[in-house]
């Protein structure tokens, strides 16, 4: 059987064999979906818990494995997470050290998030924001960019990719000084360069070394 | 034509069309390989610059795009970087905020690397080490783990995956207190948990929230 978010199940429905049982649920039901997948596996069924991107990155692998015990065999299938799809579209922003941060304070209090943004700024990591902004969370991205701006030049390149590898894919390049957070939504990933990241021929590039070659 | 490291070209040789030109070079010739690929493209050829994992993550996309200018069309093809392959084998260590760090001081001086390890420790990021250890660089990993250990419990799970998704793949689980750096080599990626990462049924899991559910 196949368990997943309704919109992802729509994307694979044509490759399912006739008779495959499908358990679909809507956004926000992650816990229930993980529990259901594990319960079905514990009952002896072969279960595919599906997602988009990589199931291990801010996704369903964690809640499922919190519930799974030794009786269940689990095979993780890695995928292309949004940051890698976005990186390939922007150029090579992830060529050197980088940090992934979720700006969702649904599960994490803001002071923990702010401490992490500050650490990413102090470490001069290229910084990736997942869940950067939604209608209900409209100030966190601006605040996070403000923290990075105290450690990096206003000219630091920032890339925003919406719907990476999906219909409606859109790439936007700006800088820490010029990015308007209002163009960012929950379908976007935001990539802020380190102090070494440059625009080269319109592409965002972080060199492998810490300094540009002469 | 196809340009790449000799060992990766061997892996795709059976899918190349007869007559495809191949330009292969050995380890360490990254700059020359990038320049050659760009020069061939500038001369009008369709060039595939290949690598393993994701070409954008500590790999060939950066040096190639440093040399490419507006005359050349570039299409980045994202892939599964070693950390994602390793994460899927270990469980779900990348379920929340995490940082990628290279311990190679070939291009980056050690004080910059040490500052980044300290920032990753202070931010409580799950921490991924690429290029963690080689015969010539044998003390850096121990030093980096020592920095993390000043901020995290000795029981913090650490995963080492050697040859992820390749022949000879090997998974090793330890803790900050018990890991022997000597088992790590240049074909390995090292994943150090955050303060929230736990072993569940032998799998390394970082929950989506910042705290374990009761």
């Amino acid at each position: 059987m196949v368990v997943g978010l309704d919109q992802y199940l729509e994307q694979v429905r044509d490759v399912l064999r006739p008779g495959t049982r499908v358990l679909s649920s809507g956004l926000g039901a992650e816990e229930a979906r993980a529990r259901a997948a594990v319960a079905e596996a514990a009952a002896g069924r072969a279960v595919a818990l599906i997602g988009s991107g990589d199931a291990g990155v801010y996704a369903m692998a964690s809640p499922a494995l919190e519930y799974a015990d030794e009786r269940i065999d689990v095979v993780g299938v890695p995928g292309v997470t949004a940051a890698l799809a976005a990186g390939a579209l922007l150029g090579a922003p992830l060529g050197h050290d980088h940090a992934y941060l979720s700006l969702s304070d649904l599960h994490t209090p803001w002071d923990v998030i702010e401490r992490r943004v500050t650490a990413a700024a102090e470490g001069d990591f290229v910084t990736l924001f997942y869940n950067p902004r939604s209608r209900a969370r409209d100030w966190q991205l601006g605040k996070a960019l403000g923290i990075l701006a105290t450690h990096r030049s206003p000219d630091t390149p920032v890339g925003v990719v919406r719907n990476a590898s999906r219909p409606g894919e859109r790439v936007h390049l700006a800088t820490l000084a010029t990015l308007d957070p209002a163009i960012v939504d929950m379908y976007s990933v935001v990539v802020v360069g380190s102090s070494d990241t440059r625009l080269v021929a319109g592409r965002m590039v972080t060199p492998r070394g810490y300094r540009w070659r002469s």
Side-chain angles (χ1 to χ4, degrees), chain A:
Chain A
M1 67 180 298
V2 181
V3 180
L5 187 66
D6 43 15
Q7 67 196 72
Y8 302 145
L9 276 160
E10 283 314 309
Q11 293 174 31
V12 298
R13 202 169 285 275
D14 59 318
V15 299
L16 300 183
R17 276 181 294 209
T20 301
R21 281 182 58 207
V22 169
L23 196 63
S24 83
S25 45
L27 252 184
E30 286 82 8
E31 293 295 314
R33 208 179 305 134
R35 280 183 192 274
V38 170
E40 296 285 349
R45 293 190 180 83
V47 179
L49 176 60
I50 66 163
S52 71
D54 184 293
V57 179
Y58 302 112
M60 291 301 296
S62 291
L65 292 185
E66 288 179 50
Y67 299 123
D69 62 25
E70 289 85 352
R71 295 172 303 171
I72 302 172
D73 281 334
V74 179
V75 177
V77 181
V80 173
T81 188
L84 297 184
L89 291 164
L90 291 166
L94 309 183
H96 210 269
D97 302 334
H98 50 282
Y100 285 63
L101 263 146
S102 168
L103 291 185
S104 169
D105 53 6
L106 263 176
H107 299 290
T108 308
W110 176 254
D111 64 314
V112 173
I113 297 173
E114 189 168 321
R115 178 161 72 97
R116 287 201 170 139
V117 177
T118 303
E122 289 173 352
D124 196 23
F125 287 95
V126 172
T127 305
L128 296 153
F129 292 117
Y130 276 52
N131 307 309
R133 192 168 178 277
S134 68
R135 266 182 303 180
R137 286 182 293 102
D138 61 357
W139 57 266
Q140 285 85 347
L141 177 61
K143 177 93 180 173
L145 294 173
I147 293 169
L148 291 170
T150 63
H151 291 78
R152 293 175 200 179
S153 156
D155 297 331
T156 303
V158 179
V160 178
V161 179
R162 186 170 190 272
N163 281 323
S165 304
R166 288 186 189 159
E169 176 180 276
R170 206 177 58 200
V171 176
H172 180 80
L173 272 175
T175 67
L176 269 178
T178 64
L179 179 73
D180 177 5
I183 69 149
V184 177
D185 66 10
M186 61 184 284
Y187 301 103
S188 307
V189 58
V190 177
V191 187
V192 181
S194 72
S195 65
D196 291 319
T197 306
R198 299 282 183 279
L199 275 194
V200 183
R203 302 175 190 115
M204 196 173 165
V205 181
T206 306
R208 284 157 35 105
Y210 81 115
R211 203 167 272 183
W212 282 75
R213 291 160 203 88
S214 52

